[in-house]
Amino acid sequence: MATDPVCGMIVDPARAAGRVEHDGTVYFFCSPGCASKFSANPEKYLAGAREAMTPAPAVIGIGGLKRRPTTTTSAPTTPSAPAAQTPASGVRYTCPMDPDVVSDRPGACPKCGMALEPMIRSAADLAVETNPELDGMTRRFWLAVAFGAPVFAVTMGDMVTGGALVHRLGMTPVNWIALVLSTPVVWWCGWPLFERMWQSFVNRSPNMFTLIGLGVGASYGYSAAATVAGRMDTYFDTAVVIVALVLLGQVLELRARHQTGDAIRQLLRLAPKTARRVNRIHGHETETDVPLDAVIPGDLLRVRPGEKVPVDGVVVEGSAAIDESMITGESIPVAKAPGASVVGSTMAVDGTMVMRAERVGEDTVLARIVRMVSDAQRTRAPIQRLADRVAAVFVPAVVLVAIASFVGWMVWGPEPGPGPALVRAVSVLIIACPCALGLATPMAIMVGTGRGARAGVLIRDAESLERLARIDTLVVDKTGTLTEGRPRVASVEAAGGWTEADLLRLAAAVERGSAHPLAAAIVEAATSRGLSIPPAAGFQSMVGQGVSGRVEKHDVVLGSPTFLAARGIDVSSLLERGDDSRKAGQTVLAIAVDGRLAGFVAAADSVRDSARDAVTSLTGAGVHLVMMTGDNATTAAAVARQLGVNDVRAELKPEDKRAAIRDLQSQGRRVAMAGDGINDAPALAQSDVGVAMGTGTDVAMENAGITLMKGDLRGLVRARRLSSATLTNIKQNLFLAFVYNAIGVPVAAGLLYPLTGWLISPIWASAAMTFSSLSVIANALRLRSLRL
């Protein structure tokens, strides 16, 4: 990311609205206006000068119109913001339509004019519940109703009485009364609309407020001039009703947009406020309740039935049944005994336990989930490019249509004249709604990613969510993905004068430095037999192949037969003796000591029951499954037969998996890869969509676009349903926006009038414009109740 040197805004260079090279350095800008200012005087801004993105808006207070003194700031200013929302609070704000716009305070987006919204990423950000933009728009709306209602009532009364009301009072007094009442509505209540229109000119970024400002300004300006000149045809009622309806639309939209972030707020509210710390000093034990932020790694915490687990940690005493549905989407409680990991904010349904805190604050799983969901909601899906291309020419095209409509009705209209021509032009300006186009994708992404988080499906970015719906091939790793990932040593066979105990001790010594599940199984087997595990020197690991080290003056190598053969060790006898274990689906690891084969360890890893259900669901949906593993071909085939997977590729190194995925992609396949280990990271990065199992390593999760918190493939079935539903929702939103504008603009311009007699007034155009944005948001909100 880069910083705009003029206004201080954070800018994504890939989406920058302008760039200028100065003294060999390229600077990026949020808008063409900032780029022009920098080009005119680069030294000024490089010296540290900053300009506000928008002038401080007017605020309606009890004492009348107030304005904050002009200040130099790095973001839009909103004087009605409470102290909790000042930059010191650390809360940042962004635009739902332009996520590259980031500000340290609330205000309006300099690109589209929409109100910025807080980026909720931590529990502290929940303090930002009041919305100054919503509060301000609400006050302006009610004042617009109070002052505009008499203007509208007089107009409607005149229509109902057939002109009797105006005939009794006289048109001139009525027009002057309307001018007096409509002036505060247009220039006071509607001031934010004109302010944002002006900023669209300054930043060369025409938007919805450009059209609204032009329409309201034209209606009011023409009517004011006509009143002063003594003309009878005025449109004050049009101006005040448009302002009131637009403000009402802003109020409703802001409230609806707030609901799209409910998923993150619900997640953050899951965190308990306190923890029960166990203090053990000199044989005495006491328990005290402490604030959650006072807990540090290493603290002992007691969790009782009905209480939430305070932070991430490990059970050290007792046992409990934990409801982990908030992170996995599974409602069945999971039994936790000493040594088991627990996740903060999950609920103890039954039993009492003492846990040791390991991850606290921003390092907990819940905090990571919130950050991932928040970041995903600010990304743009590829399908958004279509809307972006249309939006780039939309407003200028609408202005041209409005001008053409004015000229056409002025010259050829049924009643040629400036009055009817103005009404047609204003109707065109008001009914067009670029916001509906802009909101179509981000609203669906925000709601969809939030829904996924509640089901244990974390989406890193919108592109991954969209791509997942289009995959036709799924590559899965075996260990930890199709199997439980918790293998146990089934047998140890020694040769060459070694005993099973000595062989297991040496194997455990070198495997203790590895993070692979098989390594943990060997270490556990040695420990459970009461064997002392000696230290290993010179530990080396070849990811996905094997390990080596020096133990008790012996050079020990352990890994796949291929790994040992590559080091010049004869493993032919092992291939025959370990065949029965491999046919049973067990993984066989060879052990060599001082360059000679010393035996092998066979480990069994049971197939996940959930994997069978997932494979059936995915193949039934037309997804081609490929199992890729570094394990022996015989073992891999045995596991594949149990699951009904026909395409099996075994004995692959990490780079081989990546090459195999690249080969599938060259065949025109859209490939997703599901894995959980460090050896899966290259393949996850190569695939069109990487899917990490939440029980796996951080490296795998960093290279994946989708993370399944439960750690089983049924989560992938849910993820595909979510992806498909979100993509469908986006298409529906774009359809609503395109069709609405495609029909509304021609009707407002009067193109169908010669054939059908259809016309639409600016007042109804304003109501229709508001409805278009709300319909898109309402459709996106349907994803909150999506059944996965």
Side-chain angles (χ1 to χ4, degrees):
M1 304 297 281
T3 300
D4 186 325
V6 174
C7 66
M9 179 184 291
I10 306 300
V11 180
D12 183 349
R15 302 190 184 100
R19 61 182 66 200
V20 176
E21 183 174 350
H22 177 72
D23 286 343
T25 301
V26 178
Y27 298 91
F28 300 92
F29 301 88
C30 68
S31 66
C34 283
S36 299
K37 293 177 182 178
F38 180 82
S39 299
N41 192 356
E43 289 75 15
K44 170 185 174 182
Y45 300 106
L46 293 178
R50 290 288 184 269
E51 294 189 9
M53 291 193 300
T54 60
V59 179
I60 301 171
I62 297 175
L65 187 64
K66 300 180 181 178
R67 182 179 293 277
R68 169 178 288 182
T70 302
T71 58
T72 299
T73 175
S74 63
T77 58
T78 302
S80 57
Q85 296 165 348
T86 62
S89 67
V91 180
R92 309 190 80 184
Y93 296 79
T94 188
C95 174
M97 281 177 55
D98 300 285
D100 51 316
V101 173
V102 178
S103 169
D104 59 3
R105 66 188 67 213
C109 174
K111 289 186 176 181
C112 67
M114 293 186 69
L116 303 182
E117 54 190 33
M119 300 170 66
I120 306 295
R121 293 170 61 90
S122 67
D125 297 340
L126 287 178
V128 189
E129 286 297 330
T130 58
N131 188 332
E133 184 78 10
L134 176 59
D135 294 342
M137 289 294 182
T138 302
R139 288 194 299 267
R140 294 175 192 277
F141 166 70
W142 287 115
L143 284 168
V145 170
F147 281 91
V151 178
F152 184 71
V154 169
T155 303
M156 291 300 296
D158 188 52
M159 294 175 60
V160 171
T161 60
L165 181 61
V166 171
H167 179 74
R168 177 175 299 179
L169 297 177
M171 194 65 195
T172 299
V174 168
N175 282 344
W176 279 103
I177 293 173
L179 174 61
V180 170
L181 292 175
S182 62
T183 297
V185 174
V186 172
W187 295 111
W188 188 6
C189 302
W191 179 253
L193 312 181
F194 291 110
E195 186 178 55
R196 295 175 188 186
M197 177 193 71
W198 176 251
Q199 285 302 312
S200 73
F201 295 146
V202 172
N203 294 317
R204 302 176 190 173
S205 180
N207 52 53
M208 176 184 78
F209 296 97
T210 310
L211 303 177
I212 293 173
L214 290 173
V216 173
S219 300
Y220 176 84
Y222 175 85
S223 301
T227 299
V228 173
R231 293 175 58 89
M232 300 296 104
D233 54 331
T234 58
Y235 301 94
F236 290 116
D237 58 320
T238 297
V240 297
V241 173
I242 289 175
V243 169
L245 287 175
V246 171
L247 290 173
L248 175 61
Q250 290 294 294
V251 170
L252 296 176
E253 182 180 311
L254 287 166
R255 289 178 178 173
R257 279 168 50 190
H258 181 78
Q259 296 179 41
T260 62
D262 281 350
I264 290 184
R265 294 182 181 88
Q266 290 171 8
L267 285 172
L268 286 171
R269 292 191 182 104
L270 291 173
K273 301 295 187 293
T274 62
R276 191 166 187 81
R277 181 188 286 160
V278 178
N279 306 297
R280 293 173 176 172
I281 304 175
H282 304 305
H284 296 283
E285 179 176 304
T286 60
E287 297 182 6
T288 56
D289 290 331
V290 297
L292 194 64
D293 55 10
V295 176
I296 61 175
D299 280 353
L300 294 180
L301 309 171
R302 184 176 298 279
V303 182
R304 296 168 296 189
E307 293 181 343
K308 291 182 178 180
V309 177
V311 295
D312 298 355
V314 176
V315 179
V316 294
E317 294 178 11
S319 62
I322 304 296
D323 179 359
E324 295 183 331
S325 59
M326 52 80 64
I327 61 167
T328 65
E330 299 288 346
S331 58
I332 301 176
V334 180
K336 299 289 183 178
S341 298
V342 289
V343 178
S345 303
T346 54
M347 177 74 75
V349 178
D350 188 22
T352 300
M353 66 182 184
V354 176
M355 60 170 287
R356 182 178 63 252
E358 291 193 339
R359 292 183 179 181
V360 302
E362 297 301 306
D363 296 328
T364 62
V365 169
L366 179 63
R368 293 173 63 193
I369 290 174
V370 170
R371 286 197 299 272
M372 184 177 288
V373 175
S374 179
D375 291 341
Q377 291 181 344
R378 310 304 169 195
T379 57
R380 298 166 75 86
I383 197 172
Q384 176 71 17
R385 295 169 189 159
L386 172 63
D388 289 344
R389 287 195 295 269
V390 173
V393 298
F394 184 81
V395 174
V398 169
V399 172
L400 291 176
V401 171
I403 294 173
S405 177
F406 180 86
V407 173
W409 281 79
M410 185 76 177
V411 177
W412 301 292
E415 298 178 5
L422 177 67
V423 170
R424 292 300 101 228
V426 170
S427 297
V428 171
L429 293 171
I430 298 301
I431 201 170
C433 188
C435 271
L437 284 172
L439 289 171
T441 298
M443 288 296 102
I445 294 297
M446 288 185 70
V447 181
T449 51
R451 177 67 186 93
R454 299 204 312 273
V457 177
L458 299 186
I459 292 95
R460 190 175 68 175
D461 52 52
E463 185 172 0
S464 298
L465 183 63
E466 179 180 334
R467 285 183 174 182
L468 186 61
R470 297 190 170 108
I471 65 138
D472 52 34
T473 302
L474 174 64
V475 174
V476 291
D477 179 46
K478 179 177 74 67
T479 305
T481 303
L482 295 175
T483 62
E484 293 288 350
R486 293 189 294 272
R488 295 181 180 275
V489 172
S491 63
V492 180
E493 185 166 338
W498 293 95
T499 66
E500 290 186 10
D502 287 339
L503 204 62
L504 193 57
R505 285 177 64 250
L506 296 177
V510 291
E511 286 285 28
R512 194 156 52 178
S514 173
H516 197 279
L518 289 173
I522 292 173
V523 173
E524 181 183 352
T527 303
S528 64
R529 297 187 188 188
L531 303 177
S532 61
I533 302 176
F539 172 79
Q540 290 184 335
S541 174
M542 295 293 291
V543 177
Q545 300 179 64
V547 295
S548 64
R550 188 164 181 80
V551 184
E552 296 178 338
K553 299 181 180 181
H554 295 290
D555 291 324
V556 180
V557 180
L558 185 147
S560 67
T562 305
F563 178 61
L564 269 67
R567 290 177 169 241
I569 300 171
D570 183 12
V571 294
S572 57
S573 61
L574 168 70
L575 296 177
E576 297 175 3
R577 291 156 58 190
D579 195 48
D580 290 340
S581 297
R582 287 190 291 270
K583 287 180 179 179
Q586 297 175 4
T587 299
V588 176
L589 298 178
I591 307 172
V593 180
D594 296 327
R596 299 184 61 183
L597 184 67
F600 69 86
V601 175
D605 189 7
S606 57
V607 173
R608 292 177 183 267
D609 291 334
S610 60
R612 295 186 176 91
D613 297 336
V615 168
T616 301
S617 297
L618 291 168
T619 53
V623 178
H624 176 64
L625 261 68
V626 181
M627 187 174 81
M628 293 188 186
T629 178
D631 211 340
N632 178 270
T634 304
T635 302
V639 173
R641 279 195 302 272
Q642 297 181 53
L643 294 170
V645 178
N646 298 320
D647 194 342
V648 182
R649 308 184 188 192
E651 300 183 24
L652 300 180
K653 300 176 183 178
E655 56 269 25
D656 296 332
K657 291 183 181 180
R658 184 173 186 175
I661 290 177
R662 191 184 298 118
D663 181 60
L664 288 170
Q665 291 170 328
S666 67
Q667 300 172 22
R669 292 185 176 273
R670 293 183 289 270
V671 183
M673 164 71 186
D676 73 333
I678 294 175
N679 59 316
D680 297 323
L684 289 169
Q686 176 63 40
S687 63
D688 295 293
V689 183
V691 181
M693 317 307 275
T695 51
T697 65
D698 289 344
V699 176
M701 294 171 68
E702 288 297 324
N703 284 278
I706 309 288
T707 298
L708 307 179
M709 296 305 298
K710 176 64 176 176
D712 70 56
L713 281 182
R714 284 182 301 186
L716 184 57
V717 177
R718 291 196 293 267
R720 271 196 99 237
R721 289 172 182 165
L722 174 66
S723 175
S724 178
T726 303
L727 187 60
T728 299
N729 192 275
I730 290 173
K731 292 178 179 178
Q732 291 169 348
N733 289 344
L734 290 172
F735 175 80
L736 288 173
F738 278 121
V739 168
Y740 163 81
N741 284 293
I743 295 175
V745 172
V747 171
L751 293 181
L752 301 182
Y753 180 76
L755 300 176
T756 64
W758 291 352
L759 287 175
I760 187 169
S761 72
I763 293 174
W764 284 108
S766 180
M769 181 270 295
T770 297
F771 173 77
S772 66
S773 292
L774 292 177
S775 63
V776 166
I777 296 175
N779 188 56
L781 287 172
R782 292 191 307 111
L783 289 172
R784 293 193 303 176
S785 57
L786 177 67
R787 293 179 60 86
L788 297 177

